């Protein structure tokens, strides 16, 4: 965690994974695998707040930056995980510029946003800070705020969404996007829309991210200009275990 994710993204492509299982040990294990960061998936993972807190601490013990995918952009969701000390958030299903502004409002301290201030949280070192003004300024500068574009509406409203200043990464969710458009993931039209979306994001000088489930697709999208590649550990665990069992039983 020498440099925060924002600074690193200016210089390099980052590879992360969702952690969908609700256990500090799994976050600890995943943080030792070599990913540049992990994302605790509390959109689909079944997690309570204490577990998320454990998972954040486990990742940071390994000096692995950690974001939380929140269920939505309400302050109760975003304030809590940022107070726990997560480096940032990923918010799904952002359809309009107004949706994106709501996320910023919840994630930033005043005057830029409406994040509530407390000096007894882990994020504020339990109050052991010397300069409160400096603390708030630095927190606003460093928090990593990312949103998901994964519906037909988001693609339609992309130009306005990209006008919203302060979003650190625009993440394409191919599964929901395909479902929203009524297309199979593998449809050529999906490929075209994804490329066009990455092109528009990068043409604005902004950072594009995308979800992949294999290395070939990861390389394709970095070739298009995506700077943040996210996968999920489950597929590789499944593949590895199945292959082991197949080979072990054949010998
Ligand atoms: C999607 O593909 O819809 C995602 O949200 C990826 O995580
Ligand atoms: Mg999705």
């Amino acid at each position: 965690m020498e440099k925060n994710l924002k600074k690193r993204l200016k210089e390099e492509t980052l590879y992360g994974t969702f952690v969908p299982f609700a256990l500090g040990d799994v976050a600890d294990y995943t943080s030792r695998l070599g990913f540049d960061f992990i994302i605790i998936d509390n959109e689909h993972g079944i997690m309570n707040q204490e577990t998320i807190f454990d998972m954040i601490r486990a990742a940071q013990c390994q000096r692995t930056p950690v974001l939380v995918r929140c269920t939505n952009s309400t302050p109760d969701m975003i304030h809590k995980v940022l107070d726990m000390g997560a480096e940032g958030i990923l918010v799904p299903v952002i359809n309009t510029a107004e949706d994106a502004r709501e996320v910023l409002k919840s994630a930033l301290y005043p005057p830029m946003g409406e994040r509530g201030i407390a000096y007894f949280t882990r994020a504020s070192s339990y109050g052991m800070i010397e300069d409160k003004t400096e603390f708030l300024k630095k927190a606003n500068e460093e928090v990593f705020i990312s949103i998901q574009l994964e519906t037909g509406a988001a693609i339609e409203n992309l130009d306005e969404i990209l006008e919203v200043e302060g979003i650190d990464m625009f993440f394409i969710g191919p599964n929901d996007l395909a479902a929203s458009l009524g297309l199979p993931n593998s449809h050529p039209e999906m490929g075209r829309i994804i490329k066009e979306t990455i092109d528009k994001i990068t043409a604005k000088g902004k950072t594009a991210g995308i979800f992949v489930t294999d290395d070939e697709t990861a390389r394709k999208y970095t070739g298009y200009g995506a700077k943040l590649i996210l996968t999920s550990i489950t597929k590789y665990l499944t593949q590895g275990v199945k292959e082991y069992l197949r080979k072990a039983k054949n010998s």
Side-chain angles (χ1 to χ4, degrees):
M1 288 187 289
E2 284 76 20
K3 273 190 187 174
N4 75 27
L5 286 178
K6 293 192 206 209
K7 287 190 186 138
R8 287 185 63 190
L9 268 173
K10 288 198 172 34
E11 294 156 14
E12 54 185 314
T13 304
L14 297 181
Y15 297 83
T17 184
F18 284 113
V19 180
F21 301 124
L23 198 62
D25 287 4
V26 181
D28 186 6
Y29 161 78
T30 309
S31 298
R32 295 168 193 249
L33 293 174
F35 288 106
D36 295 309
F37 64 99
I38 65 165
I39 301 195
I40 297 168
D41 188 3
N42 191 40
E43 182 192 9
H44 297 296
I46 313 299
M47 290 154 188
N48 63 31
Q49 289 180 8
E50 289 82 359
T51 315
I52 295 172
F53 201 10
D54 275 351
M55 293 172 82
I56 290 170
R57 285 182 296 219
Q60 291 172 342
C61 280
Q62 298 306 320
R63 304 178 72 76
T64 300
V66 53
L67 311 181
V68 179
R69 175 153 74 168
C70 299
T71 323
N72 55 46
S73 60
T74 57
D76 65 322
M77 244 275 131
I78 294 181
H79 287 184
K80 287 256 192 288
V81 300
L82 294 179
D83 279 350
M84 290 177 197
E87 273 88 352
I89 47 159
L90 174 64
V91 182
V93 200
I94 296 299
N95 289 331
T96 63
E98 189 46 39
D99 290 350
R101 281 192 284 271
E102 284 300 313
V103 174
L104 290 169
K105 221 194 270 179
S106 294
L108 294 169
Y109 288 123
M112 294 153 84
E114 296 178 0
R115 180 177 168 192
I117 298 168
Y119 293 113
F120 57 84
T121 61
R122 181 165 181 267
S124 59
S125 303
Y126 306 100
M128 290 177 264
I129 46 178
E130 296 198 342
D131 182 335
K132 288 182 175 160
T133 310
E134 184 54 29
F135 163 77
L136 297 176
K137 183 169 165 281
K138 198 158 173 278
N140 275 354
E141 281 166 9
E142 291 190 347
V143 62
F144 191 87
I145 302 171
S146 52
I147 59 171
Q148 287 192 225
L149 309 171
E150 49 183 352
T151 60
I155 301 305
E156 256 170 50
N157 296 324
L158 185 60
D159 291 335
E160 295 98 270
I161 296 173
L162 289 174
E163 289 301 324
V164 178
E165 287 304 325
I167 302 293
D168 296 304
M169 193 266 294
F170 296 83
F171 181 75
I172 300 165
N175 294 318
D176 278 306
L177 183 57
S180 160
L181 297 174
L183 295 170
N185 282 37
S186 57
H187 197 283
E189 184 63 2
M190 277 298 295
R192 188 192 64 73
I193 292 168
I194 287 174
K195 182 164 186 329
E196 204 174 280
T197 305
I198 295 176
D199 282 347
K200 277 194 175 179
I201 297 168
T202 53
K204 278 264 174 198
K206 312 235 168 175
T207 301
I210 189 158
F211 180 71
V212 303
T213 52
D214 64 75
D215 57 285
E216 195 184 332
T217 316
R219 286 191 299 275
K220 180 166 89 179
Y221 292 147
T222 54
Y224 291 173
K227 290 291 295 291
L228 188 141
I229 302 293
L230 253 172
T231 192
S232 184
I233 50 172
T234 39
K235 179 183 170 192
Y236 311 103
L237 294 174
T238 308
Q239 263 177 356
V241 171
K242 289 203 168 189
E243 193 175 329
Y244 158 74
L245 285 173
R246 187 178 54 77
K247 287 184 175 165
K249 288 179 182 177
N250 277 345
S251 64

